[in-house]
Amino acid sequence: MSKYWSDFVHQLEPYVPGEQPKMDRLVKLNTNEHPLGPSPKVIEAIRAEADERLRLYPDPDSSQLKQTIADYYGVKRSQVFVGNGSDEVLAHLFMGFFQQDKPLLFPDITYSFYKVYCGLYRIDHEAVALDESLSIRVDDYLRPNGGIIFPNPNAPTGKLLPLSEIERLLQANTDSVVVIDEAYIDFGGQSAITLVNRYPNLLVTQTLSKSRSLAGLRIGLAVGDEALIDGLNRIKDSFNSYPLDRLAIAAGTAAFADQAWFEKGCELVTSQRQWLQEQLAQRGFDSLPSAANFLFTHHPAHSGEALAKGLREQGVIVRHFGKPQRIADHLRITVGTPEQNQALIDALDTLV
Ligand SMILES: *Cc1c(COP(=O)(O)O)cnc(C)c1O
């Protein structure tokens, strides 16, 4: 608290990121990072870029990276926006599209940054309850709104909504922007980017932090109709002209070029997810079907709090949200390497 703050700073409720512990040798399964490193070609690209040219500003448009993404998804470069992590892309689109008279709709159990941006930009919002199976029900969103946003698959549940349901939502909701946050889509879903040319109010965001193993670099993107991208560019150029530095532009471009590495990484995660879910089931855990790189799970006989604490004492860190009540006993466990996943199971065997 300080008398020097602008008034509204007192009212902010900032996002609390998952812990990044300083200790080594922890089994870190709490923030959905990729268990493998990025493609070696990404490291090479960063090395090749790290020279005296760093005295120069980067390309303010990140054209090379945008073109690579456009080619990858079969859209025009003018339909692609990039930012310093998809969190920054989200911040811009909240400001640009969701400051409306009617409330923004998003699930009651979802990525908690959405609510934080509503606070930052003073956006009125309504939390739409997930159904009894913790699924998003499209019919619940068919009502007056100033925008709709949810992750697909949703976080922290990992549950996927089929593309046909997203299309049904877009057909019924044409007067406000619909944002599909595809942070985890590469681990088991079909991207809604295939729909952007038919729905001018659809914006799809993705990140290189999860499936492309570059959380440390901060690269996010959005794909949509040119007019939406134009709006985002106006905000970006009123905020920070150079959100991506030279190293990030080179690395992001290289990451999309190494398809084999990307596919290998996604396959490791999905096969380990399957293994982990089976091992958990054998120990009495109930996990939601996941299309992401994490499992959302609970044990009928043990509290989420006790399990998270017991794991931590053995050097295994998972995410426990504790609220709302419906998910108070759930743990969100990132799928790790086979060794990490085994360590998690061994630690759980002392607890359940
Ligand atoms: C991780 C995550 C993001 C943020 O990704 P960054 O690109 O690292 O900022 C956005 N949305 C969801 C749902 C996420 O899980």
Side-chain angles (χ1 to χ4, degrees):
M1 281 251 275
S2 162
K3 68 172 182 175
Y4 300 114
W5 291 0
S6 302
D7 266 352
F8 89 105
V9 178
H10 296 275
Q11 263 89 67
L12 293 179
E13 285 182 49
Y15 179 72
V16 184
E19 187 189 352
Q20 295 293 344
K22 302 287 181 289
M23 291 168 283
D24 290 340
R25 300 188 41 223
L26 283 175
V27 178
K28 189 178 174 305
L29 303 176
N30 67 330
T31 51
N32 297 344
E33 288 137 331
H34 200 290
L36 300 183
S39 156
K41 291 181 182 147
V42 168
I43 311 295
E44 262 172 55
I46 293 174
R47 289 217 174 90
E49 194 67 24
D51 59 24
E52 72 287 346
R53 284 169 300 168
L54 285 176
R55 77 188 173 79
L56 300 170
Y57 281 106
D59 171 12
D61 188 48
S62 306
S63 307
Q64 184 195 23
L65 176 57
K66 282 186 185 171
Q67 189 62 54
T68 302
I69 295 166
D71 294 343
Y72 189 86
Y73 285 113
V75 296
K76 290 188 271 184
R77 192 170 86 199
S78 52
Q79 293 180 282
V80 180
F81 181 80
V82 295
N84 188 247
S86 62
D87 285 340
E88 185 184 79
V89 177
L90 290 168
H92 289 343
L93 69 88
F94 269 67
M95 178 183 251
F97 307 134
F98 292 158
Q99 290 186 316
Q100 307 288 347
D101 295 334
K102 293 176 201 153
L104 173 67
L105 306 180
F106 52 80
D108 62 339
I109 297 168
T110 195
Y111 188 41
S112 54
F113 227 135
Y114 301 156
K115 202 166 160 225
V116 173
Y117 290 134
C118 286
L120 181 61
Y121 297 122
R122 301 178 207 198
I123 294 166
D124 183 24
H125 67 277
E126 277 173 25
V128 180
L130 297 180
D131 73 9
E132 323 73 59
S133 66
L134 297 179
S135 302
I136 289 171
R137 201 163 41 195
V138 160
D139 288 333
D140 296 339
Y141 292 79
L142 305 184
R143 52 177 158 120
N145 66 78
I148 296 172
I149 183 168
F150 53 80
N152 196 40
N154 194 14
T157 63
K159 280 193 126 178
L160 183 76
L161 195 64
L163 207 52
S164 55
E165 281 296 280
I166 289 175
E167 186 151 20
R168 191 161 73 81
L169 174 66
L170 289 162
Q171 277 162 358
N173 187 93
T174 54
D175 289 337
S176 67
V177 173
V178 175
V179 177
I180 309 297
D181 177 347
E182 294 190 336
Y184 302 103
I185 195 70
D186 295 324
F187 299 111
Q190 257 183 298
S191 175
I193 290 178
T194 52
L195 302 176
V196 294
N197 286 333
R198 280 189 280 141
Y199 299 94
N201 61 329
L202 168 63
L203 194 71
V204 179
T205 63
Q206 293 192 356
T207 174
L208 277 71
S209 299
K210 314 278 168 53
S211 60
R212 295 181 194 272
S213 196
L214 286 172
L217 264 192
R218 315 303 302 127
I219 309 173
L221 62 102
V223 180
D225 187 70
E226 275 176 11
L228 293 182
I229 300 304
D230 209 28
L232 289 175
N233 281 325
R234 289 172 70 95
I235 293 184
K236 170 239 169 202
D237 287 324
S238 308
F239 179 81
N240 176 5
S241 307
Y242 308 103
L244 292 198
D245 60 56
R246 287 176 170 272
L247 306 185
I249 293 169
T253 306
F256 274 97
D258 195 347
Q259 182 68 10
W261 185 270
F262 166 72
E263 284 175 11
K264 199 180 77 171
C266 290
E267 276 158 27
L268 173 87
V269 168
T270 50
S271 65
Q272 281 297 301
R273 179 178 73 206
Q274 173 83 19
W275 181 85
L276 198 54
Q277 179 152 1
E278 285 162 11
Q279 295 295 313
L280 289 169
Q282 285 168 23
R283 288 156 180 83
F285 281 87
D286 196 3
S287 309
L288 294 179
S290 172
N293 65 343
F294 56 82
L295 288 171
F296 202 51
T297 192
H298 77 283
H299 195 290
H302 297 271
S303 83
E305 191 178 2
L307 288 172
K309 184 161 169 285
L311 287 173
R312 168 174 288 272
E313 283 163 5
Q314 298 175 73
V316 180
I317 309 197
V318 301
R319 194 93 194 250
H320 173 242
F321 296 96
K323 56 182 186 182
Q325 192 51 42
R326 273 210 284 174
I327 58 161
D329 286 324
H330 280 74
L331 301 177
R332 192 198 67 189
I333 305 176
T334 306
V335 176
T337 61
E339 297 72 29
Q340 290 176 313
N341 298 331
Q342 185 65 57
L344 166 84
I345 293 298
D346 292 346
L348 281 175
D349 277 337
T350 70
L351 301 171
V352 301

